[in-house]
């Protein structure tokens, strides 16, 4: 187990800056998810912690110790990759034993046997131990790769999109298993993904990375309910938060260019929410209601069925917004409907910077 801290890390590759002034703290035993789009700098961050890359500026601390002079082996972290690298002609058992049999520091045979047996039980791959790894399914191979990390009992697990090559069902199953595994081991996990659902469902804490900068760190609830800026608001959540341009006039959101208005409650208001300031109003689709007597008229632009619920795209003039409604709600395309929003749940962002007024310092 270990506590990790990245202080003011900048990483340049030639003229390209992959990470800028990155600060990150991962508590001992925490499941931390780093969420970011492709090229955001997720793998680079993991490689810096693992000691496979050196920062251009800044420091990496493991348990309070600056590890700049430590090589990858000394850092005692395990890296699990998206593309599992198993030895194909060997059995699962041999693959699991391999990390425990370095020339130096070789463990006693009984200890190796014990660790392999435990890892296999934890990952439910006991029945596969004598199979060659090239005969396994993707999910089984990924379990074995995770097993190779577990047997070493590292201080930290670094996981680089380990589930993204798997099909949806298996991904979901392994998501739960990994989370259970982390709790069982009490280990520090840094899990990297571009999948916001994965991040929100697995993380104790989530850090959102955008173009090499951490935009926001917080619990999944904080990030979902109180996004720091419009980037986080539109990245997290499916469907994403509705973002509509407008301004505040007497506690009402007045939208532009399509002029319609809805109330904003005192609770949603914060300092800086002055009348007339150009804003972006954010509202989650589940906080938009269709109701007969509601204040605004819209046309149904599109309907998507998702089993227990429907996602309805509403059109008011040129403005589109989405509402999540129960599946039993009868709606047809081009039907006129009326809608309102929950005035307590409105988030206001500065139009120029995109930063939430609640976060603006
Ligand atoms: N060795 C390298 N040399 C030059 N540029 C690099 C190198 N490694 C990464 N980069 C660049 O740094 C940026 C961040 O890369 P990184 O691999 O960390 O992104 P990522 O968030 O892991 O993306 P993905 O989701 O696609 O894996 C990218 O623009 C990438 O092209
Ligand atoms: Mg990557």
């Amino acid at each position: 187990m270990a506590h990790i801290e990245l202080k003011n890390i900048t990483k340049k590759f030639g003229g390209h800056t992959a990470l800028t002034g990155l600060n990150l703290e991962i508590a001992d035993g925490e499941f931390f998810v780093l969420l970011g789009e492709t090229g955001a700098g997720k793998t680079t961050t993991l490689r810096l912690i693992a000691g496979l890359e050196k920062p251009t500026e800044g420091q990496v601390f493991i348990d309070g110790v600056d590890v700049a002079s430590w090589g990858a082996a000394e850092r005692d972290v395990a890296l699990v990759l998206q593309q599992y690298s198993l030895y194909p002609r060997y059995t699962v058992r041999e693959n699991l034993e391999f990390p425990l049999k370095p020339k130096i520091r070789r463990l006693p045979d009984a200890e190796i046997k014990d660790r392999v047996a435990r890892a296999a039980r934890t990952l439910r791959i006991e029945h596969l131990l004598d199979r060659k790894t090239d005969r396994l399914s993707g999910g089984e191979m990924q379990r074995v790769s995770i097993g190779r990390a577990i047997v070493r009992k590292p201080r930290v697990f670094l996981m680089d999109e380990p589930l993204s090559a798997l099909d949806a069902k298996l991904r979901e199953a392994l998501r739960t298993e990994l989370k259970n595994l982390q709790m069982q081991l009490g280990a520090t996990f840094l899990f990297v993904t571009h999948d916001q659902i994965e991040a929100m469902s697995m993380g104790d804490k989530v850090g959102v990375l955008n173009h090499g900068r951490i935009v926001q760190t917080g619990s999944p609830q904080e990030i979902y309910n109180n996004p720091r800026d419009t980037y986080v608001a539109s990245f997290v959540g499916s469907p994403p938060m509705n973002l509509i341009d407008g301004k505040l006039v007497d506690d009402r959101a007045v939208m532009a260019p399509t002029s319609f208005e809805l109330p904003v409650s005192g609770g949603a208001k914060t300092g800086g929410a002055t009348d007339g300031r150009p804003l972006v109003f954010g509202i989650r689709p589940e906080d938009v209601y269709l109701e007969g007597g509601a204040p605004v008229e819209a046309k149904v632009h599109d309907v998507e069925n998702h089993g227990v619920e429907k996602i309805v795209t509403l059109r008011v003039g040129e403005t589109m917004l989405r509402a999540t409604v129960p599946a039993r709600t009868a709606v047809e395309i081009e039907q006129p409907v009326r809608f309102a929003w929950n005035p307590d749940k409105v988030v206001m962002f500065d139009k120029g910077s995109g930063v939430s007024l609640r976060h603006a310092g």
Side-chain angles (χ1 to χ4, degrees), residues 37-39 41-44 82 160-161 192:
E37 287 171 307
T38 179
K42 305 182 295 294
T43 299
T44 305
Q82 174 181 6
D160 196 354
E161 314 216 25
V192 152

Side-chain angles (χ1 to χ4, degrees), residues 93-145:
R93 189 190 308 281
E94 286 161 336
N95 269 277
L96 293 176
E97 285 168 352
F98 197 81
L100 303 176
K101 291 183 169 173
K103 294 237 164 54
I104 42 163
R105 254 191 358 173
R106 200 196 140 120
L107 292 169
D109 284 344
E111 173 74 16
I112 294 177
K113 217 175 148 197
D114 184 55
R115 289 200 192 184
V116 168
R118 269 167 193 262
R121 203 176 325 132
T122 309
L123 293 163
R124 295 191 281 119
I125 50 174
E126 289 161 297
H127 60 295
L128 302 174
L129 281 171
D130 296 311
R131 295 253 296 271
K132 296 268 172 59
T133 53
D134 53 2
R135 301 284 160 76
L136 303 177
S137 74
E140 289 165 346
M141 285 200 216
Q142 196 54 292
R143 281 201 180 88
V144 178
S145 320

Side-chain angles (χ1 to χ4, degrees), residues 1-4 27-29 61-65 67 70 74-78 149 152-158 186-189:
M1 289 208 274
H3 169 271
I4 295 184
D28 193 15
F61 295 87
I62 300 180
D63 281 336
V65 180
V67 294
W70 297 14
E74 293 161 278
R75 294 195 187 188
D76 193 19
V77 301
R152 284 177 45 200
K153 298 194 180 168
R155 295 207 283 182
V156 183
F157 287 87
L158 305 174
T188 308
F189 268 51

Side-chain angles (χ1 to χ4, degrees), residues 71-90:
E74 293 161 278
R75 294 195 187 188
D76 193 19
V77 301
L79 190 55
V80 178
L81 304 173
Q82 174 181 6
Q83 287 310 335
Y84 16 86
S85 47
L86 302 174
Y87 301 102
R89 283 175 296 114
Y90 291 86

